[in-house]
Amino acid sequence: MKSLMKKWNQVSLVKQILIGLILGIIWALAIPEAAKPIVIFGSLFVGALKAIAPVLVLFLVMSAIAQHKSGKKTNMKSVIILYLLGTFLAGLIAVIASFVFPVNLTLVKGAEGVTPPSGVVEVLKTLLLNIVDNPVNAIMNANYIGILAWAILLGLALKNAADSTKTLIGNFSDAVSKLVTWVIKLAPLGIMGLVFESITTNGLDALLGYGKLLAVLIGCMLFVALVVNPIIVFTFIKQNPYPLVFKCLKESGVTAFFTRSSAANIPVNMKLCKDLGLNKDSYSVSIPLGATINMAGAAVTISVLTLAAVHTLGISVDLPTAIILSVLSAVCACGASGVTGGSLLLIPLACSLFGIPGDVAMQVVGVGFIIGVLQDSFETALNSSTDVLFTAAAEYKEWRKKGKKVEIKKIA
């Protein structure tokens, strides 16, 4: 048994996850009833990630800022520019694709029990109120904007604290990081349970009628991930971006695809940044921030579904309005806040730009929930993997300036 475990531990995590993925698919198709208990592995894995992530963000950010020495550079300005640029370009690509491949919807009954925001002002108001949320409440409800704000303020307040205090905070940060590595080791079992549950619960029959819509949505996201993002990264690092792009997609995108939560994937991204040799002072802030504002996938979802409604209703759209939609989808996407299905509730806000009634917009949201099993998975994979991609690109740009060689290790 010990020798078997030793051999298993020698296999790379990505290969372990792939094995779990294949087993989950086989058991879901061959023995769905007999293998039903493995669903608990997926629930436990996602639950553990969501539980540890808020504490990890609080201590990592607080420790990094408290121990940051004046004059020591971080890359936050470049990272934020990349986040905003990437989200806007994703929305723009989605708008262009929706004109080239117009989609008509068969509208269904509207989504019930959900209340979309009434306007951009409400989205921004919610973000601002989240910043001043009670810190304990922020941790309990996984409000990452609030956690990030309090961590930064506490870190600044502790900059002049005694070295022993800073050491204690650093030790707590290291301990929580260690817990995260233990949780991530359970990823193969977790992915196996998640993919099993996804196939047995949702199936694929409900998705067949929305094939063209899914093709446009997923096509846009793949284009952003494999064409737009690499071009952006290339302008920063001036070398082949694809080794970094594929590494981020494989090691971050795979887990995000199944957890369907940017917030739950924060620990995975933190570990990947560490493996890439990035500056902890930068990624301990940029990764949780990215889980909130770096929402390229959400921008694609909002734009495509909104324009699908526009085409269905026969509303004509001029170029200036389409560009405004790209900007609006980027702003709305930042309000999606890393929650499963969060981008769908912002579709009525974008629909209002074209005078589409709320009841019709909510029917579009209903369509979004039907295809959500695939749409949200691809969306989260793009969002979360891009957090690491842009964080790395910003730092590698500084490495290049200093003459330091940028070398991306291939996955074993």
Side-chain angles (χ1 to χ4, degrees):
M1 186 66 180
K2 284 185 178 180
S3 60
L4 185 63
M5 287 300 297
K6 188 176 180 181
K7 288 181 180 179
W8 174 253
N9 289 328
Q10 289 174 346
V11 178
S12 71
L13 182 63
V14 173
K15 289 179 180 177
Q16 290 179 3
I17 290 174
L18 185 61
I19 293 170
L21 177 66
I22 293 170
L23 287 176
I25 293 172
I26 292 173
W27 289 344
L29 297 175
I31 49 171
E33 288 300 320
K36 202 169 184 179
I38 70 170
V39 169
I40 190 65
F41 293 136
S43 300
L44 289 173
F45 177 62
V46 175
L49 281 175
K50 287 184 175 179
I52 197 67
V55 183
L56 174 70
V57 170
L58 178 67
F59 279 102
L60 271 180
V61 175
M62 182 169 56
S63 176
I65 292 176
Q67 299 185 45
H68 178 70
K69 295 178 181 178
S70 299
K72 189 177 180 181
K73 287 186 67 177
T74 61
N75 306 303
M76 285 307 301
K77 183 178 178 181
S78 296
V79 172
I80 291 172
I81 290 172
L82 284 170
Y83 283 170
L84 298 178
L85 176 64
T87 301
F88 168 73
L89 289 178
L92 184 61
I93 291 297
V95 168
I96 295 170
S98 294
F99 277 102
V100 176
F101 307 103
V103 176
N104 289 316
L105 301 175
T106 302
L107 296 178
V108 295
K109 186 179 179 182
E112 298 177 357
V114 293
T115 306
S118 59
V120 177
V121 173
E122 186 178 339
V123 173
L124 296 176
K125 180 183 175 183
T126 301
L127 287 174
L128 291 173
L129 289 175
N130 282 340
I131 291 174
V132 295
D133 192 12
N134 179 292
V136 176
N137 189 58
I139 293 173
M140 288 177 61
N141 295 306
N143 167 17
Y144 286 91
I145 282 284
I147 295 168
L148 196 58
W150 283 108
I152 291 171
L153 291 174
L154 286 169
L156 292 172
L158 289 166
K159 281 184 75 73
N160 296 320
D163 289 342
S164 57
T165 303
K166 293 181 181 180
T167 301
L168 179 63
I169 295 170
N171 288 340
F172 267 108
S173 176
D174 292 340
V176 176
S177 298
K178 186 66 176 177
L179 287 175
V180 167
T181 61
W182 294 346
V183 172
I184 291 175
K185 283 185 177 180
L186 300 175
L189 286 174
I191 296 299
M192 179 177 67
L194 287 169
V195 71
F196 178 90
E197 183 180 23
S198 179
I199 293 174
T200 55
T201 303
N202 299 292
L204 297 176
D205 293 341
L207 303 176
L208 296 178
Y210 298 94
K212 187 175 181 181
L213 176 61
L214 276 170
V216 174
L217 274 168
I218 295 172
C220 285
M221 292 179 193
L222 290 175
F223 186 82
V224 170
L226 300 176
V227 179
V228 177
N229 285 349
I231 291 173
I232 295 173
V233 172
F234 176 77
T235 61
F236 266 64
I237 67 175
K238 306 297 182 186
Q239 67 180 60
N240 181 7
Y242 283 99
L244 178 61
V245 169
F246 290 138
K247 189 175 183 73
C248 291
L249 286 173
K250 286 180 180 179
E251 298 200 11
S252 172
V254 169
T255 53
F257 184 91
F258 292 105
T259 60
R260 294 170 62 191
S261 169
S262 296
N265 214 47
I266 287 174
V268 177
N269 283 352
M270 292 284 197
K271 183 179 183 299
L272 178 53
C273 286
K274 183 180 178 181
D275 293 344
L276 290 170
L278 304 184
N279 180 6
K280 192 174 181 179
D281 286 355
S282 292
Y283 74 71
S284 61
V285 178
S286 68
I287 293 302
L289 180 64
T292 305
I293 69 168
N294 185 33
M295 293 287 171
V300 169
T301 296
I302 293 167
S303 296
V304 169
L305 283 171
T306 298
L307 286 175
V310 167
H311 291 308
T312 301
L313 298 174
I315 300 171
S316 60
V317 181
D318 54 21
L319 182 61
T321 307
I323 294 173
I324 292 172
L325 175 61
S326 301
V327 176
L328 181 64
S329 65
V331 173
C332 291
C334 293
S337 196
V339 178
T340 303
S343 60
L344 296 177
L345 298 185
L346 295 166
I347 290 170
L349 175 55
C351 284
S352 66
L353 181 66
F354 303 95
I356 297 174
D359 58 336
V360 176
M362 288 309 293
Q363 290 186 57
V364 178
V365 175
V367 172
F369 278 115
I370 291 173
I371 63 172
V373 62
L374 281 179
Q375 166 267 323
D376 200 39
S377 294
F378 276 95
E379 177 184 313
T380 310
L382 174 60
N383 290 343
S384 196
S385 62
T386 307
D387 294 346
V388 182
L389 180 68
F390 287 164
T391 297
E395 183 154 342
Y396 290 162
K397 179 184 177 183
E398 297 302 317
W399 287 15
R400 185 176 56 81
K401 284 181 179 178
K402 296 174 182 177
K404 184 177 178 181
K405 186 178 181 182
V406 177
E407 186 177 353
I408 311 300
K409 294 181 181 177
K410 291 184 178 180
I411 302 171

